[in-house]
Amino acid sequence: MLIALLSIFIVGLIAPGLYSVLREKTGWVLAILPFSVFIYFLTLFPAIADGEVITQSTDWVPLFDVTLSFYLDGLSMLFALLVTGIGTFIVLYGSGYLAGHEYIGRFFCTILLFMGSMLGVVLADNLITLFVFWELTSFTSYLLIGFSHDSAESRNSALQALLVTGIGGLALLAGLILMGYTAGTFEMSEILNSGDVLRESPLYLGILILILAGAFTKSAQFPFHFWLPGAMAAPTPVSAYLHSATMVKAGVYLLARVHPAMGDTDLWFYLVTGFGAATLLISAWLALCYTDMKQILAYTTVMVLATLTMLIGMGFPLAHQAAAVYILGHALYKASLFMVAGAIDHEAGTRDIAKLGGLRSLMPISAVAAALAALSMAGIAPFFGFIGKELLYEAALEAPMWSTLLISIAVLGNIAVVAAAGIVAIKPFYGPKVETPKHAHEAPLSMWIGPITLASLGVVFGSLPFLIDSSLIVPTASAIYGETLDFYLSLWHGINLPLILSVVTLLGGIAVYKIWTGLQSSTPAGLYSTTFHDGPKGGYQFLVDGMLSTAGWQTRVLQNGMLRYYVLTIVVTMAVAIGYTFMSRAGFAWNNELGSVELYEWTLFATIIASALIAVMVRSRLAIIVALGVIGFGLALIYLMYGAPDLAMTQVLVETLTVILVALVLVHMPPLKKSEAAGSKFRDAVIALTLGGIFTAMTLTAMTLPFDLFISEQFAEWSYPAAHGRNIVNVILVDFRALDTMGEVVVVAVAGLAVYALVKMNKKQSKNGGAES
């Protein structure tokens, strides 16, 4: 699995170079890779169908227990087949849709990296590895959504998707770390067997909320649903892939994956099922508020993601059977419909339903693909979508709680989906013929082979469900539920309540389709869109604008170009943080037995204090640097008096060099400005005395503690055997703390360069000023 995954990333990185050689054949050549990986997973299909689990592990960061471990069961197998199978058609479709585009090589690179990232998400067993691939999907989707980077709409949509999913990703990281900490392992395969430990942990609520935040933002659940229709600014190949098989289903995959460990609680049911049901109803009817084909399809995608979330939240076998069927059925018909929408836009010059009609004779293959996919989307027999809808209704009717509410929401949502399916499949092809911006004709082979194949599979799997029920759907549902299930799929279950509800749904959808033109342009539809689309999107924009305003204010305050205020901010922060920590954790204590203090010690102390006062009171820069130099040399005498001649010598050398360098700079500096107001001086004095007092108190408190010679003795013991040096101070600086010393040397060197630059700059300015005068 690792080799298959790495091959996608490697080929993705070299794809632009391949395009420069292969040109228009590049898409067909690159499609061989995902198709080969698809075949590879098919070779593992029999083992997974028999209930086996395939694992693979390679050390990555063993120090932090991070491995490149992969876990293939029914759930990850289904997603791996969708990612690589539909990905094959997307690469082909992109080669036709973007033929001749300036950045098509970049598209091939990014779409393959995106494919590899999503494949990594569904195969990863290690939590940290899963998160790395999770964030890679966010980053690569940002590049894909913003592919048309010269468009402000594309850039804004890409940033919106990145921020929403990125913030959710940070929450997910915290949740995964807490999950691994609580379970005692970061391997998902082991965590799935630790459900009781997680559910009984006091951290369960926090873990659940953090993981749901990551999943809900990724899979566009209310109130985060607005970013997904915004991602329609991406080229259609991206939209088709993103909506059918990859990124937006990552959140659903995560919920399905962690269900055996995190599910089976009332809290799980209320949150997951509740948000799923609410998003289902809201998004299904939002789809009818627009005339853009991709916008309509985008909101029906949100509706299906919500349906999957609701089913996973229900937590019993029948619901998970329905979820497994829905995952596959939606991927087949939605990828097909998006690619048809892109073909219409590409060949007719628009995807606005109001400007399309009569394309059946001009685009016959696309018309057939759209019809087959839409029939499956509407849940009409004998299509695979019908089986999914029947199972959905059965699951809602048998839900342990909220049964009446859930079945009502499911029926109302599917009525809107039936109408949406008719809108995107009937009006463009069978509606009254209209003049389109471009003279429409059938798309090239690369653009219709995918839609017709995927739509046809919806018919095959619906008519012959035994082809995949025991081999793929049963292992998938079993992985979601956490126990082995045994069931089969069938088109006909007799005349029962789910069938009656399906008929009601179909009739209701036809009725809504009939009145859609007037409904879409009505005031209630506008208010509905404003409330549930513009409202959450406006909330997002308000937060972003607030963040930018806060950043601007902070920049104006903290980075105003005045060095004195930078120093003031640092000193105040240190005083508050260190002072609070010191007083709350330790408290002040001191030994008032000073012992005998000699006259020369008092004299030195007074000299240092006097020099400090002179430095802050005089107006001459030269006097200031002399006073600071006296303080430095005074400290050197203190080191010398207390038995540290090496340190004293270092202090003298540093002080001498500092005085000389600063004096050289001060010669070229302009005169000091007028003295500051008394209030500013008083403020600075209080802050300086406060920080100095805090350090003094900390020093006195430290002196009351028993002196531990452990470190000193260790250095003395190691000095000669380990570093071959008898001068312990030198050994510490050069060997034991070599990197620290090197850092100090670099700081001094940089400071010297800065001084040199200031001197040269000032001389240059003086010359320029003299020339001008």
Side-chain angles (χ1 to χ4, degrees), residues 506-518:
L506 180 59
L507 295 175
I510 294 173
V512 173
Y513 170 79
K514 292 289 187 181
I515 64 171
W516 173 75
T517 303

Side-chain angles (χ1 to χ4, degrees), residues 636-691:
L637 289 175
I638 292 176
Y639 297 148
L640 187 62
M641 287 189 295
Y642 288 95
D646 289 349
L647 194 56
M649 183 174 63
T650 302
Q651 178 70 22
V652 169
L653 291 175
V654 170
E655 243 357 278
T656 303
L657 181 62
T658 302
V659 169
I660 293 173
L661 287 175
V662 175
L664 288 173
V665 174
L666 292 181
V667 172
H668 302 282
M669 295 294 286
L672 286 172
K673 296 180 180 179
K674 292 177 60 178
S675 179
E676 289 194 12
S680 298
K681 288 185 176 181
F682 179 77
R683 176 202 63 198
D684 295 345
V686 169
I687 294 173
L689 291 173
T690 300
L691 185 62

Side-chain angles (χ1 to χ4, degrees), residues 298-321:
Y299 265 121
T300 58
T301 295
V302 177
M303 179 269 180
V304 172
L305 297 174
T307 302
L308 290 167
T309 301
M310 183 180 76
L311 289 169
I312 294 170
M314 290 182 187
F316 63 99
L318 185 58
H320 295 164
Q321 295 172 29

Side-chain angles (χ1 to χ4, degrees), residues 14 131 292 431 469 667 693:
I14 65 174
F131 175 76
D292 185 305
D469 56 358
V667 172

Side-chain angles (χ1 to χ4, degrees), residues 46-212:
I48 300 302
D50 290 338
E52 295 183 26
V53 172
I54 300 174
T55 59
Q56 185 184 92
S57 182
T58 303
D59 285 341
W60 188 16
V61 190
L63 180 64
F64 297 103
D65 196 26
V66 179
T67 61
L68 280 172
S69 54
F70 302 103
Y71 181 84
L72 187 66
D73 62 355
L75 179 62
S76 47
M77 171 62 82
L78 173 59
F79 273 93
L81 292 175
L82 291 177
V83 169
T84 54
I86 295 179
T88 300
F89 291 119
I90 292 297
V91 172
L92 290 176
Y93 184 87
S95 67
Y97 187 88
L98 296 171
H101 195 284
E102 180 183 4
Y103 300 116
I104 188 172
R106 181 187 300 174
F107 165 79
F108 287 131
C109 170
T110 315
I111 201 73
L112 288 174
L113 295 179
F114 180 62
M115 182 188 302
S117 302
M118 187 63 199
L119 192 59
V121 168
V122 301
L123 294 178
D125 191 21
N126 185 274
L127 297 183
I128 304 303
T129 303
L130 184 150
F131 175 76
V132 170
F133 284 118
W134 182 280
E135 288 302 285
L136 280 175
T137 64
S138 295
F139 173 69
T140 50
S141 66
Y142 167 77
L143 298 178
L144 289 169
I145 296 170
F147 180 76
S148 302
H149 57 270
D150 54 347
S151 166
E153 180 187 3
S154 294
R155 295 195 302 270
N156 291 337
S157 297
L159 180 61
Q160 178 178 269
L162 181 66
L163 289 177
V164 174
T165 59
I167 292 172
L170 292 176
L172 175 64
L173 175 61
L176 293 177
I177 291 174
L178 289 176
M179 176 185 282
Y181 168 78
T182 303
T185 176
F186 280 85
E187 298 300 307
M188 182 66 78
S189 55
E190 299 176 17
I191 291 173
L192 295 179
N193 298 319
S194 305
D196 291 338
V197 175
L198 290 174
R199 287 187 287 267
E200 294 171 4
S201 169
L203 296 176
Y204 174 76
L205 176 60
I207 296 172
L208 179 60
I209 291 175
L210 290 169
I211 287 179
L212 291 185

Side-chain angles (χ1 to χ4, degrees), residues 5 54 138 184 235 252 328 337 357 398 445 470 472 524 565 629 645 718 730:
L5 190 61
I54 300 174
S138 295
V252 169
L328 177 57
L337 286 173
E398 296 183 17
L445 172 63
S470 61
L472 184 59
Y565 289 115
W718 294 341
N730 288 348

Side-chain angles (χ1 to χ4, degrees), residues 238-306:
V238 176
S239 303
Y241 199 36
L242 186 146
H243 281 247
S244 61
T246 52
M247 178 180 167
V248 297
K249 280 199 173 78
V252 169
Y253 169 81
L254 180 65
L255 293 177
R257 175 57 73 205
V258 303
H259 172 266
M262 299 291 294
D264 199 25
T265 66
D266 289 343
L267 188 60
W268 172 275
F269 178 87
Y270 292 139
L271 290 177
V272 180
T273 304
F275 274 94
T279 308
L280 187 162
L281 187 60
I282 291 170
S283 58
W285 289 89
L286 274 174
L288 303 181
C289 296
Y290 302 94
T291 60
D292 185 305
M293 292 183 69
K294 286 177 66 174
Q295 196 84 344
I296 295 170
L297 293 173
Y299 265 121
T300 58
T301 295
V302 177
M303 179 269 180
V304 172
L305 297 174

